[in-house]
Amino acid sequence: MSEIENITDNDLDTAEYIDLEDENGDTVTFELIGRIEVDGCSYCAVIPEEEDENADSDVYVILKEVNKNDEVYLSTIDDDKEYDRVDKECFNVFEELDEEEE
């Protein structure tokens, strides 16, 4: 599991955008589009902040919230089955939200 960034839980509750440092040390800004709990674990769905308005906004990344030494880290999900399960839940939630907006 690759740790991406240490971030406070309070930041995740209030953030619209979060800056994360990747494993190469580069800072990338993401828009936090949702948080979800699946099987007792918390996950964040984020999309990279794009300067290009025509960028594909349907592409999102799911990061797992990991508590380590009383700090919250966002981490990639290395287990394909776990990622697929969480992705399916995220998709269902986003689909329900789209239906409510119509």
Side-chain angles (χ1 to χ4, degrees):
M1 185 179 306
S2 303
E3 291 180 354
I4 301 293
E5 182 71 13
N6 174 8
I7 189 163
T8 66
D9 196 36
N10 188 45
D11 287 343
L12 291 174
D13 287 336
T14 60
E16 289 184 34
Y17 292 91
I18 52 177
D19 291 326
L20 301 176
E21 186 175 303
D22 66 16
E23 58 274 354
N24 299 321
D26 298 323
T27 300
V28 182
T29 300
F30 289 90
E31 181 178 0
L32 178 63
I33 59 172
R35 291 176 79 188
I36 189 169
E37 189 170 313
V38 178
D39 297 331
C41 296
S42 296
Y43 301 87
C44 294
V46 298
I47 54 175
E49 179 184 46
E50 297 289 341
E51 294 180 14
D52 180 5
E53 291 181 7
N54 297 321
D56 187 359
S57 63
D58 290 338
V59 177
Y60 56 89
V61 177
I62 301 169
L63 300 172
K64 186 175 186 175
E65 294 179 33
V66 178
N67 289 307
K68 190 177 201 180
N69 298 327
D70 294 327
E71 294 185 25
V72 177
Y73 290 84
L74 295 179
S75 177
T76 57
I77 303 170
D78 297 330
D79 182 275
D80 290 340
K81 288 181 181 179
E82 177 184 9
Y83 191 92
D84 291 343
R85 187 172 60 248
V86 175
D87 184 44
K88 183 178 179 181
E89 289 296 322
C90 285
F91 180 81
N92 290 339
V93 168
F94 295 145
E95 193 172 66
E96 287 175 16
L97 290 173
D98 283 344
E99 289 174 3
E100 288 176 7
E101 289 180 2
E102 293 175 1

